[in-house]
Amino acid sequence: MARMTGRRLLFAAPVLLVVTFGVFAVAAASPFDPVKAYAGTAGLTASQETLDQLRANLGVDRPLVARWWEWLTSAVTGDLGDSSVMRRPVADVITERLGWSVLLATTAFVLAILLGTALGVAAARRPGGLLDRCVSSAAYTLEAAPAFWLGLLAIWFFALRLGVLPAGGLTDSGSDTVTFGQVASHLVLPAAVLGVSQMPWFYLYVRQGVADALEEDPVRGARARGLSERTVLLGHAWRSGMLPMLTLIGSRVPELITGALLIETVFSWPGIAAATVEAATSVDFPLLAALTVLATAAVLLGNLLSDLLYGLADPRVGFDG
Amino acid sequence: MTARSIRGTAAAALAGSLAFTAAACSNPDSGSGPDGGDQESAVVGIAYEPDSLSPLLGYGKDGNSKLFDGLLAVDGDMNLRPALASALPEVGADGTTYTYRLRDDVKFSDGKPFSAADVVFTYRTILDAKTNNPSKTELAAIKDVTAKGDDTVVFTLKYPYAPFAQRTVLPIAPEHLAGKQDVNTGPFTTKPVGTGPYLLTNWSKGEKISFKANPDYWDGAPKVKKFTMAIIKDDDVRATRLRAGDLDGAILPPNLAKGFENDKGRRTYSATSYDYRTVTLPTHNKVAGDNAVRRALDVAVDRDTMVDKILDGAGRAAYGPVPTGSEWFTKGTERVHDLDEAGRILDEAGWKTGRDGVRTKDGVRASFPLWYLTGDKLRQDHALAYASDAKKAGIDIKTQAGTWEVIEPRMRTDAVLAGGGAPGDPDFDQFSLLNSGLAGDGFNNMAWYDNPAVDKALDAGRESGNKKDRKAAYDTVQRELAKDPGYTFLTHIDHVYVVNDTWGTLTTQVEPHDHGLASGPWWNVEKWAPTP
């Protein structure tokens, strides 16, 4: 187990290198001009001299490889550079926003897992039953629905029609202290939408896994021995039916990140995803590179976590190698 | 840990958090909604967000920055009045030295006194090549700025520049804080300290900027104790949140503002502006560079219909960067919509109508592309209306959408639907737009306009300190522009705001191209007082 973890972490370094270089290369090839993005409307009245000065100050006229190498060497020493779009050090931008994103993503993830598991187990008990048919078709529909569309729909219904939940932001626009109650009520809609949009995968996996497990010999055996339905379902079938879902937990991380990106934008949630979009369209290399490293690391860790969980839950699987 | 104990802990945590939530929700101080008749706080919805709150990087350069004061400020009638300076500047005889005496009773909100050193620091830092201030071009006239003692500042200019005083509304930053950190990315860019009527309490990027009144403000503490600017980019969401009572006021497009017309609790304000939309007619294009084509387009275009249909009446026809309502506008240079006249001009110049209805001359088809910014509905509407008007005169204009990255390399030969506008002084817009020396310099003089008579008049206008001479110079510019229209000016756009009438009747200033943050009825929120 420790060996697998060590090997994976060793493997992560070259992956991160390639990914950051890819980000620099793609951003350099993009048609967006970082100087224009930096100057904004003022750039439309600025003289060429001012624009050239900005270009030199921002260091965006140097070759791609040199910029990447410079970013990499200072990042290794802990200096992530300055974000041009936020006018602040990258480390500040990330520490200020990461927490809100983690809160949103974790709440949504927990919601998705709980909801997906509960509904999956319930549906698996009677495949083809009313609950199964309703939830399954809803799950397939949700699977196809884009998260931002669900978000807009939720704003329209809960914020505009019913007026029961705030439409966006972290707190009410009139208040500037961040209280628990304010954040909690503002978290409901975005987390619910993100959670519900992730739910179908968990639901479908659990439903299938548990339904299959119910057909397996040990479960039949347990039933034959006269154990209660409850014990059979939760003690035997659930446990082996959950195995595929453990893999899923890790592999859903990338989807969760992209989902959060759209949801944060729709709900003006001041998380890291909104900064990512801005960094990308403004070709803000230092911020973009740091965020990409974070996202890549999250994906790699997610995969590692699911493999570890799988290995722990089912000793037959073992740890690779 | 056993399953039971985990369950117990979770339940306790949940109960605790629910209790906390309930407590926070029932706290009457936690959120004072505008519906509660609270006249000490105001929340307004704006569409744009500043990149930085540091004046050193360009924030508040046109005045009204709330957190800061400039040496001078502009009042409701757009006249300059002293702010941090104790009087208007003394201008040297040759127009190249400006001397300001400063107030001696002003403190920054951290308690440290304001002095001449802060003024010198602010201007020198902005002009420093290492400072990433994209607006520094506006201060290009300055040769040097020096302090004489604690209360006098002297600016020396490279050339006589009459509008200079107008530039000194620029906010002053404290040297003792901003001078000790990286000017481009230091904490001062997001947590500024100034001398202004408000202090920054919170800036949640992309969400809102919150201010609280500065109790020690030198010009009297504001009555509106809390002021919040909510950043809501989408027009419909802004209108909805205004209707829901979440906002006390907001900038809205004219068609959405109409929905509030009959609302008894709210008033609609329409602020006149210098914000123009124009079509550049590049000199290097064989068709658009032809004087006959330019003049024909100038009369073929139906400006009044654009104002009615595109702006819902909230605007005025434009004949140059100076709006018709300004004291600097040259009466008699208005061009009436006259399609027959356009045809006559083109016929005389030898542009013959071809079989497809498009004119040609010497084998050149009267056709050129017109670019507009992708996603800008207002510019798109103007471009389409312009092309359709031109078609009637036999000129084929192909409209195309693109980002600035796509448009910029083509500006030398292709037409662009451009916008701009800076109130304050007639020099600001006209010089950068029409001076041949600035042709193709960044986004200055995008049409490569080149008219020696205009160049001469522009120099005369900025160098003379005498208002009558200046007026005569700008009259020449506008008459020349009518004879040789290197741009087809279409409209000046009103900015429309809807505000709760809790504060009675408010005023607006004449507004620049950028709007909503420093202007709007909240340009002087520090002077708002509740209606009795």
Side-chain angles (χ1 to χ4, degrees), chain B residues 340-376:
Chain B
D340 297 339
E341 172 71 9
R344 225 171 2 253
I345 296 171
L346 290 169
D347 285 339
E348 270 170 29
W351 289 95
K352 304 245 161 43
T353 311
R355 243 174 300 164
D356 56 353
V358 178
R359 291 170 187 264
T360 51
K361 180 185 174 183
D362 306 334
V364 179
R365 209 161 165 273
S367 170
F368 60 87
L370 168 62
W371 291 87
Y372 61 87
L373 189 62
T374 309
D376 189 327

Side-chain angles (χ1 to χ4, degrees), chain A residues 275-292:
Chain A
T276 312
V277 177
E278 225 175 310
T281 53
S282 314
V283 207
D284 185 347
F285 288 101
L287 184 57
L288 199 56
L291 292 176
T292 315

Side-chain angles (χ1 to χ4, degrees), chain A residues 37 50 77 87 94 104 106 128 216 231:
Chain A
T50 308
T77 64
R87 300 337 189 227
I94 290 178
L104 173 65
T106 319
E216 276 172 18
T231 320

Side-chain angles (χ1 to χ4, degrees), chain A residues 152-173:
Chain A
L152 291 175
L153 203 69
I155 291 185
W156 173 79
F157 189 70
F158 291 102
L160 300 189
R161 294 306 299 262
L162 300 184
V164 289
L165 286 166
L170 187 64
T171 54
D172 287 344
S173 26

Side-chain angles (χ1 to χ4, degrees), chain A residues 15-199:
Chain A
V15 170
L16 286 173
L17 272 186
V18 171
V19 168
T20 54
F21 187 76
V23 169
F24 271 73
V26 169
S30 85
F32 295 114
D33 180 359
V35 174
K36 290 242 166 53
Y38 185 91
T41 40
L44 299 180
T45 51
S47 67
Q48 195 60 48
E49 192 195 344
T50 308
L51 292 175
D52 291 346
Q53 220 172 62
L54 267 180
R55 192 172 296 277
N57 286 358
L58 295 174
V60 288
D61 49 355
R62 285 175 306 134
L64 160 71
V65 179
R67 254 150 70 199
W68 174 68
W69 184 247
E70 200 168 288
W71 174 84
L72 192 70
T73 43
S74 54
V76 170
T77 64
D79 176 13
L80 293 175
D82 295 321
S83 158
S84 63
V85 63
M86 301 285 171
R87 300 337 189 227
R88 305 178 60 194
V90 167
D92 286 7
V93 176
I94 290 178
T95 45
E96 192 182 273
R97 291 167 168 262
L98 189 62
W100 298 125
S101 285
V102 170
L103 175 70
L104 173 65
T106 319
T107 317
F109 211 43
V110 169
L111 184 74
I113 293 175
L114 292 182
L115 205 63
T117 311
L119 287 173
V121 171
R125 281 182 69 187
R126 305 206 200 301
L130 181 65
L131 179 84
D132 182 29
R133 274 182 288 145
C134 288
V135 179
S136 293
S137 45
Y140 284 120
T141 317
L142 280 175
E143 220 174 2
F148 74 89
W149 180 79
L150 288 177
L152 291 175
L153 203 69
I155 291 185
W156 173 79
F157 189 70
F158 291 102
L160 300 189
R161 294 306 299 262
L162 300 184
V164 289
L165 286 166
L170 187 64
T171 54
D172 287 344
S173 26
S175 106
D176 42 63
T177 45
V178 178
T179 62
F180 181 85
Q182 286 263 321
V183 175
S185 68
H186 282 74
L187 179 65
V188 174
L189 271 191
V193 170
L194 185 57
V196 163
S197 74
Q198 295 295 314
M199 189 275 286

Side-chain angles (χ1 to χ4, degrees), chain B residues 233-387:
Chain B
K233 296 210 166 100
D234 189 274
D235 293 335
D236 292 297
V237 175
R238 221 177 311 116
T240 309
R241 284 177 66 175
L242 178 65
R243 200 177 294 279
D246 192 17
L247 305 174
D248 295 294
I251 178 159
L252 291 176
N255 57 343
L256 285 175
K258 265 203 178 132
F260 292 93
E261 243 168 28
N262 299 321
D263 191 326
K264 284 205 184 67
R266 293 189 176 88
R267 293 181 200 206
T268 302
Y269 298 91
S270 181
T272 54
S273 82
Y274 268 56
D275 189 5
Y276 60 76
R277 292 294 174 273
T278 185
V279 175
T280 67
L281 299 173
T283 309
H284 293 103
N285 184 299
K286 274 197 182 128
V287 180
D290 184 295
N291 184 265
V293 173
R294 295 169 175 220
R295 277 169 49 226
L297 284 170
D298 209 21
V299 290
V301 62
D302 186 353
R303 298 176 170 91
D304 294 329
T305 306
M306 287 186 185
V307 171
D308 287 347
K309 300 281 184 234
I310 301 175
L311 304 179
D312 270 313
R316 261 159 300 282
Y319 305 97
V322 181
T324 46
S326 163
E327 56 170 331
W328 295 98
F329 182 74
T330 308
K331 297 242 159 44
T333 59
E334 296 93 342
R335 274 83 87 188
V336 281
H337 171 55
D338 187 347
L339 204 55
D340 297 339
E341 172 71 9
R344 225 171 2 253
I345 296 171
L346 290 169
D347 285 339
E348 270 170 29
W351 289 95
K352 304 245 161 43
T353 311
R355 243 174 300 164
D356 56 353
V358 178
R359 291 170 187 264
T360 51
K361 180 185 174 183
D362 306 334
V364 179
R365 209 161 165 273
S367 170
F368 60 87
L370 168 62
W371 291 87
Y372 61 87
L373 189 62
T374 309
D376 189 327
K377 177 89 173 24
L378 203 57
R379 290 185 193 216
Q380 181 183 11
D381 289 348
H382 275 91
L384 294 175
Y386 185 69

